[in-house]
Amino acid sequence: LLVAMCVFSWVFEDMSKVMEGTYLDDWPIESFAMRDIVVVDRDYRGNGLHRMLIEASGSFLPSRKRYVISTVSPRNWASLKNVLAEGYYVVACKKLYGGHNRFITWQDLDDPLVISRHLPLRISAKDVACHRQALAMGAVGYELERRGDDVLLRYGKGVRRSKAIPSLFGDEDSQAG
């Protein structure tokens, strides 16, 4: 009986399609792994297995794989909530897999991103065009918020954790905003 699974890929062609047109496409592709699938059998959902697999997934990778990317449907807010809770950020929104909208999520396992400035952007799940605009401006999606029947993705400006620490002490060379 298969209850849950997490599948990774580092097929360059597949990763290139996901990264193409994002700021990640100039980075060394050899350093990336793509989390293709995290799925939990219907009868076992609600027990934290999905999030547990995402949390543990970085330890499954070879040490040369520093970055993890994945795609999440803008309609799958339960999955996106788990991905964001484990330190991933939405960095792009594009059509993939036969023209379906997908959020591209990313994490640097060695030097994670942190939100240096919260922006007053909360965009509805239904408004893919606005998500694309926010992401094109350099914002990253970092948290979900419910408002009535709608789910909103909050945006901010990110900075690497190693660059954020000096800003706490007033380092004027810091990239934190």
Side-chain angles (χ1 to χ4, degrees):
L1 175 67
L2 181 62
V3 172
M5 76 175 172
C6 179
V7 177
F8 275 94
S9 166
W10 30 87
V11 176
F12 290 161
E13 182 180 336
D14 296 341
M15 290 189 299
S16 292
K17 287 178 188 173
V18 170
M19 294 164 44
E20 183 180 27
T22 72
Y23 68 86
L24 301 172
D25 66 358
D26 291 350
W27 296 17
I29 199 163
E30 311 78 41
S31 300
F32 281 85
M34 186 164 69
R35 193 179 52 248
D36 273 338
I37 300 168
V38 180
V39 66
V40 177
D41 182 274
R42 236 183 207 99
D43 294 339
Y44 294 88
R45 290 181 185 164
N47 294 312
L49 293 173
H50 188 267
R51 185 161 173 193
M52 184 177 64
L53 282 172
I54 294 168
E55 178 185 18
S57 65
S59 64
F60 302 146
L61 298 175
S63 60
R64 70 184 182 282
K65 301 295 183 183
R66 174 180 175 173
Y67 310 115
V68 179
I69 57 173
S70 65
T71 69
V72 181
S73 169
R75 295 184 318 225
N76 189 349
W77 289 88
S79 182
L80 185 59
K81 181 180 179 181
N82 288 334
V83 169
L84 295 175
E86 290 305 321
Y88 290 77
Y89 292 90
V90 174
V91 296
C93 182
K94 59 190 276 187
K95 290 187 182 283
L96 291 167
Y97 315 124
H100 298 280
N101 288 313
R102 304 292 289 187
F103 283 128
I104 311 303
T105 65
W106 169 84
Q107 185 182 58
D108 182 336
L109 298 173
D110 293 340
D111 191 6
L113 203 64
V114 295
I115 298 300
S116 64
R117 186 174 39 164
H118 302 276
L119 299 174
L121 294 173
R122 289 168 174 80
I123 301 174
S124 169
K126 301 169 186 133
D127 199 345
V128 173
C130 281
H131 288 290
R132 286 196 178 105
Q133 288 176 337
L135 293 161
M137 293 184 321
V140 295
Y142 69 93
E143 184 178 63
L144 295 179
E145 179 180 302
R146 276 205 181 275
R147 192 174 292 157
D149 290 340
D150 203 3
V151 179
L152 308 165
L153 180 58
R154 294 183 67 187
Y155 281 90
K157 288 290 189 171
V159 65
R160 299 295 181 91
R161 183 171 288 148
S162 63
K163 302 289 185 194
I165 299 303
S167 73
L168 298 175
F169 302 104
D171 181 354
E172 61 195 51
D173 294 328
S174 170
Q175 291 181 12

